[in-house]
């Protein structure tokens, strides 16, 4: 009997995604010490290697960088993982099964609220401020990529963004030259170390060209589980 291997892999992966959502709070309890989104990566890797994820999706996860199919290298001083352009698109296709399953939504909503809501919101808050000044965003991504390619990236380079969410953050002391951003009151209360890590994530995604598809996936997540927050964030406000 003919078996459609692609359909079989997709079915297995969808089942795995559903069970992962349900079991997420119990995964990799030792990972809770990790900073920001590294905690999420750590937990997922306790049940699914990058090699296996690549097999399920039918594409390589990365097209270049220090990561291997077994291990995520987060401390490389002179390189970073360039995601395959289809990777975030594939994630959008598979990672929110509750969109079409009301009973699963009921089960996973409290899991989102307990384990994922804060980091999802923080990802979006940091992206919004970066995206409020596209010229700055692109300039920083280009600079970061250049420093990596020339092996000149300082290991403390991202420390300059610790205060990124503060209203007075600037990249130039000259008021006429400094970049302008949309500021939303209260954003500066997010942990500074988390902010630094997330700015680095989005700068790298701008550099490898996957930022738009990643943020579209994030918006899907927020619209499903956190619609009031999302609607409040997209209202036009500035200081």
């Amino acid at each position: 009997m003919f078996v459609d291997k692609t359909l079989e892999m997709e079915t297995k992966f969808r089942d795995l995604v559903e069970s992962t959502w349900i079991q997420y709070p119990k995964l990799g309890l030792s990972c809770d010490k990790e900073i920001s989104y590294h905690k999420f990566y750590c937990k997922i890797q306790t049940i699914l290697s990058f090699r296996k994820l690549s097999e399920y999706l039918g594409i390589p996860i990365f097209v270049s960088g220090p990561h291997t199919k077994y291990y995520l290298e987060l401390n490389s001083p002179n390189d970073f993982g360039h995601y395959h352009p289809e990777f975030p698109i594939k994630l959008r296709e598979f990672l929110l099964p509750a969109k079409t399953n009301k009973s699963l939504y009921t089960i996973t909503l409290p899991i989102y609220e307990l384990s994922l809501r804060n980091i999802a919101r923080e990802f979006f808050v940091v992206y919004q401020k970066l995206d409020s000044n596209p010229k700055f965003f692109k300039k920083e991504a280009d600079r970061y990529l250049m420093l990596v390619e020339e092996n000149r990236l300082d290991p403390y380079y991202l420390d300059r963004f610790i205060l990124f969410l503060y209203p007075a953050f600037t990249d130039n002391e000259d008021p006429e030259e400094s970049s302008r951003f949309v500021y939303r009151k209260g954003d500066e209360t997010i942990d500074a170390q988390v902010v630094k890590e997330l700015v680095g994530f989005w700068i790298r995604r701008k550099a490898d060209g996957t930022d738009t598809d990643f943020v579209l996936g994030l918006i899907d997540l927020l619209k499903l589980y956190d619609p009031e927050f999302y609607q409040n964030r997209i209202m036009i406000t500035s200081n």
Side-chain angles (χ1 to χ4, degrees):
M1 184 177 70
F2 174 75
V3 178
D4 187 331
K5 292 295 185 181
T6 300
L7 180 59
E8 185 179 47
M9 288 290 282
E10 285 189 1
T11 300
K12 287 182 178 180
F13 187 52
R14 291 184 191 278
D15 289 344
L16 177 62
V17 169
E18 287 192 16
S19 65
T20 300
W21 264 103
I22 295 169
Q23 297 296 322
Y24 184 81
K26 301 177 183 178
L27 298 178
L29 298 181
S30 63
C31 298
D32 289 336
K33 66 181 183 299
E34 297 286 344
I35 296 175
S36 69
Y37 64 95
H38 297 163
K39 181 187 302 183
F40 174 77
Y41 284 147
C42 179
K43 284 178 174 286
I44 296 304
Q45 286 187 94
T46 64
I47 60 166
L48 183 66
S49 69
F50 280 99
R51 178 188 62 80
K52 195 62 180 178
L53 178 58
S54 179
E55 288 181 12
Y56 279 129
L57 298 181
I59 58 170
I61 307 305
F62 301 100
V63 293
S64 65
H67 309 316
T68 74
K69 60 184 178 181
Y70 301 105
Y71 178 68
L72 187 66
E73 173 54 71
L74 298 174
N75 298 308
S76 174
N78 54 15
D79 202 359
F80 68 94
H82 296 244
Y83 283 103
H84 189 288
E86 291 185 37
F87 178 62
I89 299 172
K90 292 276 190 178
L91 291 185
R92 289 185 70 194
E93 180 182 350
F94 291 104
L95 289 196
L96 290 178
K99 287 175 69 174
T100 56
N101 186 328
K102 289 185 178 180
S103 61
L104 183 64
Y105 174 79
T106 301
I107 294 170
T108 56
L109 177 59
I111 293 172
Y112 169 84
E113 292 176 340
L114 175 66
S115 302
L116 296 171
R117 182 175 64 187
N118 286 347
I119 190 59
R121 289 181 174 186
E122 290 160 357
F123 261 108
F124 193 67
V125 167
V126 171
Y127 178 84
Q128 269 195 312
K129 185 162 186 180
L130 284 166
D131 195 52
S132 72
N133 190 325
K135 184 177 179 181
F136 172 88
F137 197 2
K138 179 67 163 56
K139 180 184 70 175
E140 286 301 316
D142 289 344
R143 177 187 297 169
Y144 191 92
L145 189 58
M146 177 192 69
L147 292 173
V148 167
E149 290 176 345
E150 295 179 358
N151 199 22
R152 294 194 295 118
L153 185 68
D154 189 296
Y156 301 102
Y157 180 80
L158 292 175
D159 284 357
R160 60 198 291 262
F161 294 109
I162 283 177
L163 301 180
F164 179 66
L165 291 182
Y166 280 73
F169 175 85
T170 179
D171 59 340
N172 195 311
E173 293 182 0
D174 183 344
E176 298 299 320
E177 298 293 331
S178 63
S179 298
R180 302 290 195 276
F181 303 91
V182 172
Y183 164 69
R184 290 169 174 81
K185 186 177 180 180
D187 287 353
E188 69 276 9
T189 61
I190 296 176
D191 183 87
Q193 291 298 319
V194 172
V195 171
K196 177 186 77 171
E197 295 291 336
L198 295 181
V199 170
F201 173 87
W202 286 121
I203 285 176
R204 290 189 290 272
R205 300 297 68 81
K206 176 66 75 173
D208 70 17
T210 60
D211 58 305
T212 297
D213 287 312
F214 267 110
V215 82
L216 288 175
L218 177 60
I219 288 171
D220 288 345
L221 177 70
L222 293 172
K223 283 184 173 180
L224 179 63
Y225 289 107
D226 215 350
E228 185 175 351
F229 167 81
Y230 177 70
Q231 289 300 322
N232 288 337
R233 290 299 307 189
I234 62 175
M235 292 175 61
I236 299 175
T237 57
S238 63
N239 60 339

